[in-house]
Amino acid sequence: GPAPDPHRPRVHFTPESTWMNDPNGLVLHEGRWHLFFQNNPLGSTPGNLSWGHAVSDDLASWTHLPVALRFSEEEWIFSGSVVHDAENRSGLGIPGDGGPLLAFYTSAYTPAHPTLPSIQAQSVAASTDGGTTWTRFSGNPVLDRGSRDFRDPKVLWHAESARWVMVTVEAEEYELHLYTSEDLLTWEHASVFTHPEIDGGIWECPDLVHVRTGTEAEGAGASAWVLVLSTNPGGPAGGSGTYTLLGDFDGRTFTTHSSPQPLDLGQDCYAAVSFSGVQGDPVLLGWMNNWAYAAQTPTAPWRSAMTLPRTLQLEADGAGDPVLVQRLVVPDGTRTVTLEEVAGGPPLDLAQPLRLHGVLPARSPWRLTLRFGDPEGDLDLVLSGDPTSGVVLDRGAAHEAPFAVEHPRSLPYVPAGGDDEVIVDLVVDRSCVEVELDRGRGTISQQVFHGTWQMSVLLQLDD
Ligand code: FRU
């Protein structure tokens, strides 16, 4: 077999041997999770954009399937979403057959296109075999504004208004454009959303997600709509990144009175969107990379991973205000160790993913060093806590060769005012490191190209 690859994660999705960017068409359908993704089927750098495809029963192990929508000389297939048209309102299904899956994607027409050169418009493809094969709609594109930067359609069902909604961006205008439809083929313009505080880069890959407090069993609690929006550059932690805004959505217009919050405190979570077809808490994942350096990550021939999936919920913070929490979906059976067990002990094996759990002080400084490779070496990833500056993940010294030197540190996570402790759950899956803080109040995703097979854990507490 191929040489063991110290960078290739086990439970974070990666393409087999080619380039990947955004997650696309995330849908849970007939018990299977479908993950489509921006893919160059011909190489390890961005280009020839198409939709790659994989499926999973457990969100942890993925089966690769053939490219679902392939680029041509005249059209690249940019990001978008998939929904189940259960009532066959589009008429693109087989009558009486449970309704088609519909893919909404951006037709990024190349300069070679005869009638729409360099235009970006929204198109539809249908699958009547559960997502394996796709047929493009003859009336494409279904939505064309004559724009060169109109993209990333995310389609969702809005129950109260009994309409389908499509959220899109005018990327260079920093505008969301929302549309509604009853048949998923004709789209009516509903509203434009802008936000003066998200102005550092083009807007991409929007999603509107309905989040709730409490569990289903506890009954209906409070709910809110979250706008998830990626920008490049101008991301919260530098380079490209993803913001969230809590607000309301009436089926036509999204309104908010809050300030944008980072979805993730690290550099490596972009174009995050949610799965369609999920009944309980929304499940979202992002591209675990950053356009600032994505084409230079030291992996071959595959390039890029997805973040772990995260479930989204609403909680009340110390002041009673709603905050978004994200729990990492860590696969069952992942080896979990506690800091007490492993700090100062022998190196841990990194062939399989590892979760490190610990409870650390919120009111005094500490420093958790993950030393890759040689226990006497200095390939260190450092998570540190400080009562004034918060919890920070620093990968500046953790790479075998210089990497992302301009983006070494995460944004800080600041525990709620009254808290004495901060709960840390840190997943190391070879080059993919993700930290969940205080059960999802903060998350940090960072790639770390240490290139080694073992890790020592050192903890310094200041007491
Ligand atoms: C975001 C993005 C999208 C576009 C796709 C092209 O990373 O730029 O806006 O649809 O990637 O690959």
PDB file of all heavy atoms in Angstrom, residues 62-76:
ATOM      1  N   TRP A  62     -16.109   7.771   5.580  1.00  0.00           N
ATOM      2  CA  TRP A  62     -16.712   8.228   4.321  1.00  0.00           C
ATOM      3  C   TRP A  62     -16.319   7.311   3.182  1.00  0.00           C
ATOM      4  O   TRP A  62     -15.178   6.854   3.098  1.00  0.00           O
ATOM      5  CB  TRP A  62     -16.240   9.653   4.008  1.00  0.00           C
ATOM      6  CG  TRP A  62     -16.746  10.654   5.008  1.00  0.00           C
ATOM      7  CD1 TRP A  62     -16.107  11.080   6.142  1.00  0.00           C
ATOM      8  CD2 TRP A  62     -18.001  11.338   4.979  1.00  0.00           C
ATOM      9  NE1 TRP A  62     -16.895  11.994   6.810  1.00  0.00           N
ATOM     10  CE2 TRP A  62     -18.053  12.171   6.113  1.00  0.00           C
ATOM     11  CE3 TRP A  62     -19.087  11.336   4.097  1.00  0.00           C
ATOM     12  CZ2 TRP A  62     -19.148  12.988   6.405  1.00  0.00           C
ATOM     13  CZ3 TRP A  62     -20.165  12.144   4.378  1.00  0.00           C
ATOM     14  CH2 TRP A  62     -20.204  12.962   5.518  1.00  0.00           C
ATOM     15  N   THR A  63     -17.275   7.052   2.290  1.00  0.00           N
ATOM     16  CA  THR A  63     -17.012   6.283   1.075  1.00  0.00           C
ATOM     17  C   THR A  63     -16.973   7.249  -0.097  1.00  0.00           C
ATOM     18  O   THR A  63     -17.921   8.019  -0.301  1.00  0.00           O
ATOM     19  CB  THR A  63     -18.141   5.247   0.855  1.00  0.00           C
ATOM     20  OG1 THR A  63     -18.217   4.431   2.018  1.00  0.00           O
ATOM     21  CG2 THR A  63     -17.867   4.393  -0.364  1.00  0.00           C
ATOM     22  N   HIS A  64     -15.896   7.226  -0.840  1.00  0.00           N
ATOM     23  CA  HIS A  64     -15.760   8.122  -1.987  1.00  0.00           C
ATOM     24  C   HIS A  64     -16.590   7.609  -3.165  1.00  0.00           C
ATOM     25  O   HIS A  64     -16.580   6.421  -3.461  1.00  0.00           O
ATOM     26  CB  HIS A  64     -14.295   8.216  -2.405  1.00  0.00           C
ATOM     27  CG  HIS A  64     -13.450   8.910  -1.381  1.00  0.00           C
ATOM     28  ND1 HIS A  64     -13.293  10.270  -1.351  1.00  0.00           N
ATOM     29  CD2 HIS A  64     -12.744   8.428  -0.336  1.00  0.00           C
ATOM     30  CE1 HIS A  64     -12.512  10.602  -0.326  1.00  0.00           C
ATOM     31  NE2 HIS A  64     -12.166   9.498   0.313  1.00  0.00           N
ATOM     32  N   LEU A  65     -17.290   8.529  -3.813  1.00  0.00           N
ATOM     33  CA  LEU A  65     -18.090   8.196  -4.999  1.00  0.00           C
ATOM     34  C   LEU A  65     -17.568   9.024  -6.176  1.00  0.00           C
ATOM     35  O   LEU A  65     -16.812   9.979  -5.980  1.00  0.00           O
ATOM     36  CB  LEU A  65     -19.570   8.503  -4.741  1.00  0.00           C
ATOM     37  CG  LEU A  65     -20.245   7.662  -3.641  1.00  0.00           C
ATOM     38  CD1 LEU A  65     -21.689   8.115  -3.434  1.00  0.00           C
ATOM     39  CD2 LEU A  65     -20.211   6.179  -4.000  1.00  0.00           C
ATOM     40  N   PRO A  66     -17.979   8.655  -7.391  1.00  0.00           N
ATOM     41  CA  PRO A  66     -17.500   9.435  -8.547  1.00  0.00           C
ATOM     42  C   PRO A  66     -17.931  10.900  -8.484  1.00  0.00           C
ATOM     43  O   PRO A  66     -18.913  11.233  -7.813  1.00  0.00           O
ATOM     44  CB  PRO A  66     -18.165   8.742  -9.741  1.00  0.00           C
ATOM     45  CG  PRO A  66     -18.537   7.388  -9.253  1.00  0.00           C
ATOM     46  CD  PRO A  66     -18.803   7.507  -7.781  1.00  0.00           C
ATOM     47  N   VAL A  67     -17.197  11.749  -9.173  1.00  0.00           N
ATOM     48  CA  VAL A  67     -17.554  13.171  -9.282  1.00  0.00           C
ATOM     49  C   VAL A  67     -19.017  13.270  -9.719  1.00  0.00           C
ATOM     50  O   VAL A  67     -19.446  12.597 -10.664  1.00  0.00           O
ATOM     51  CB  VAL A  67     -16.618  13.862 -10.289  1.00  0.00           C
ATOM     52  CG1 VAL A  67     -17.124  15.244 -10.649  1.00  0.00           C
ATOM     53  CG2 VAL A  67     -15.210  13.945  -9.711  1.00  0.00           C
ATOM     54  N   ALA A  68     -19.791  14.086  -9.004  1.00  0.00           N
ATOM     55  CA  ALA A  68     -21.235  14.158  -9.259  1.00  0.00           C
ATOM     56  C   ALA A  68     -21.572  15.155 -10.361  1.00  0.00           C
ATOM     57  O   ALA A  68     -22.473  14.911 -11.175  1.00  0.00           O
ATOM     58  CB  ALA A  68     -21.956  14.541  -7.965  1.00  0.00           C
ATOM     59  N   LEU A  69     -20.903  16.289 -10.359  1.00  0.00           N
ATOM     60  CA  LEU A  69     -21.158  17.323 -11.378  1.00  0.00           C
ATOM     61  C   LEU A  69     -19.791  17.784 -11.860  1.00  0.00           C
ATOM     62  O   LEU A  69     -18.998  18.287 -11.067  1.00  0.00           O
ATOM     63  CB  LEU A  69     -21.938  18.498 -10.767  1.00  0.00           C
ATOM     64  CG  LEU A  69     -23.381  18.215 -10.353  1.00  0.00           C
ATOM     65  CD1 LEU A  69     -23.911  19.320  -9.447  1.00  0.00           C
ATOM     66  CD2 LEU A  69     -24.276  18.088 -11.597  1.00  0.00           C
ATOM     67  N   ARG A  70     -19.521  17.580 -13.134  1.00  0.00           N
ATOM     68  CA  ARG A  70     -18.177  17.817 -13.653  1.00  0.00           C
ATOM     69  C   ARG A  70     -18.105  19.107 -14.453  1.00  0.00           C
ATOM     70  O   ARG A  70     -19.044  19.453 -15.172  1.00  0.00           O
ATOM     71  CB  ARG A  70     -17.777  16.630 -14.534  1.00  0.00           C
ATOM     72  CG  ARG A  70     -16.300  16.547 -14.797  1.00  0.00           C
ATOM     73  CD  ARG A  70     -15.962  15.362 -15.694  1.00  0.00           C
ATOM     74  NE  ARG A  70     -14.551  15.404 -16.042  1.00  0.00           N
ATOM     75  CZ  ARG A  70     -13.586  14.880 -15.302  1.00  0.00           C
ATOM     76  NH1 ARG A  70     -13.874  14.237 -14.180  1.00  0.00           N
ATOM     77  NH2 ARG A  70     -12.330  14.988 -15.688  1.00  0.00           N
ATOM     78  N   PHE A  71     -16.994  19.799 -14.310  1.00  0.00           N
ATOM     79  CA  PHE A  71     -16.764  21.039 -15.063  1.00  0.00           C
ATOM     80  C   PHE A  71     -16.702  20.735 -16.563  1.00  0.00           C
ATOM     81  O   PHE A  71     -16.473  19.602 -16.968  1.00  0.00           O
ATOM     82  CB  PHE A  71     -15.445  21.681 -14.612  1.00  0.00           C
ATOM     83  CG  PHE A  71     -14.222  21.018 -15.202  1.00  0.00           C
ATOM     84  CD1 PHE A  71     -13.551  21.598 -16.268  1.00  0.00           C
ATOM     85  CD2 PHE A  71     -13.762  19.798 -14.709  1.00  0.00           C
ATOM     86  CE1 PHE A  71     -12.436  20.991 -16.835  1.00  0.00           C
ATOM     87  CE2 PHE A  71     -12.642  19.187 -15.264  1.00  0.00           C
ATOM     88  CZ  PHE A  71     -11.981  19.787 -16.334  1.00  0.00           C
ATOM     89  N   SER A  72     -16.895  21.783 -17.349  1.00  0.00           N
ATOM     90  CA  SER A  72     -16.625  21.679 -18.785  1.00  0.00           C
ATOM     91  C   SER A  72     -15.828  22.907 -19.193  1.00  0.00           C
ATOM     92  O   SER A  72     -15.589  23.805 -18.380  1.00  0.00           O
ATOM     93  CB  SER A  72     -17.926  21.605 -19.581  1.00  0.00           C
ATOM     94  OG  SER A  72     -18.555  22.878 -19.562  1.00  0.00           O
ATOM     95  N   GLU A  73     -15.470  22.957 -20.437  1.00  0.00           N
ATOM     96  CA  GLU A  73     -14.734  24.105 -20.955  1.00  0.00           C
ATOM     97  C   GLU A  73     -15.519  25.400 -20.767  1.00  0.00           C
ATOM     98  O   GLU A  73     -14.934  26.470 -20.619  1.00  0.00           O
ATOM     99  CB  GLU A  73     -14.494  23.879 -22.440  1.00  0.00           C
ATOM    100  CG  GLU A  73     -13.310  24.589 -22.982  1.00  0.00           C
ATOM    101  CD  GLU A  73     -12.334  23.597 -23.585  1.00  0.00           C
ATOM    102  OE1 GLU A  73     -11.784  22.776 -22.836  1.00  0.00           O
ATOM    103  OE2 GLU A  73     -12.179  23.639 -24.798  1.00  0.00           O
ATOM    104  N   GLU A  74     -16.842  25.312 -20.776  1.00  0.00           N
ATOM    105  CA  GLU A  74     -17.673  26.516 -20.738  1.00  0.00           C
ATOM    106  C   GLU A  74     -18.277  26.807 -19.368  1.00  0.00           C
ATOM    107  O   GLU A  74     -18.857  27.872 -19.161  1.00  0.00           O
ATOM    108  CB  GLU A  74     -18.828  26.375 -21.745  1.00  0.00           C
ATOM    109  CG  GLU A  74     -18.329  26.347 -23.173  1.00  0.00           C
ATOM    110  CD  GLU A  74     -19.411  26.051 -24.188  1.00  0.00           C
ATOM    111  OE1 GLU A  74     -20.572  25.810 -23.769  1.00  0.00           O
ATOM    112  OE2 GLU A  74     -19.101  26.064 -25.386  1.00  0.00           O
ATOM    113  N   GLU A  75     -18.185  25.857 -18.456  1.00  0.00           N
ATOM    114  CA  GLU A  75     -18.887  26.026 -17.175  1.00  0.00           C
ATOM    115  C   GLU A  75     -18.147  25.308 -16.059  1.00  0.00           C
ATOM    116  O   GLU A  75     -17.916  24.097 -16.138  1.00  0.00           O
ATOM    117  CB  GLU A  75     -20.308  25.431 -17.294  1.00  0.00           C
ATOM    118  CG  GLU A  75     -21.150  25.582 -16.051  1.00  0.00           C
ATOM    119  CD  GLU A  75     -22.418  24.706 -16.089  1.00  0.00           C
ATOM    120  OE1 GLU A  75     -22.414  23.656 -16.742  1.00  0.00           O
ATOM    121  OE2 GLU A  75     -23.403  25.101 -15.435  1.00  0.00           O
ATOM    122  N   TRP A  76     -17.782  26.055 -15.009  1.00  0.00           N
ATOM    123  CA  TRP A  76     -17.295  25.427 -13.785  1.00  0.00           C
ATOM    124  C   TRP A  76     -18.470  25.354 -12.813  1.00  0.00           C
ATOM    125  O   TRP A  76     -19.371  26.209 -12.845  1.00  0.00           O
ATOM    126  CB  TRP A  76     -16.136  26.232 -13.181  1.00  0.00           C
ATOM    127  CG  TRP A  76     -14.861  26.081 -13.954  1.00  0.00           C
ATOM    128  CD1 TRP A  76     -14.704  25.501 -15.195  1.00  0.00           C
ATOM    129  CD2 TRP A  76     -13.559  26.513 -13.548  1.00  0.00           C
ATOM    130  NE1 TRP A  76     -13.382  25.551 -15.567  1.00  0.00           N
ATOM    131  CE2 TRP A  76     -12.650  26.163 -14.595  1.00  0.00           C
ATOM    132  CE3 TRP A  76     -13.060  27.151 -12.422  1.00  0.00           C
ATOM    133  CZ2 TRP A  76     -11.290  26.436 -14.510  1.00  0.00           C
ATOM    134  CZ3 TRP A  76     -11.701  27.422 -12.347  1.00  0.00           C
ATOM    135  CH2 TRP A  76     -10.823  27.066 -13.380  1.00  0.00           C
TER     136      TRP A  76
END
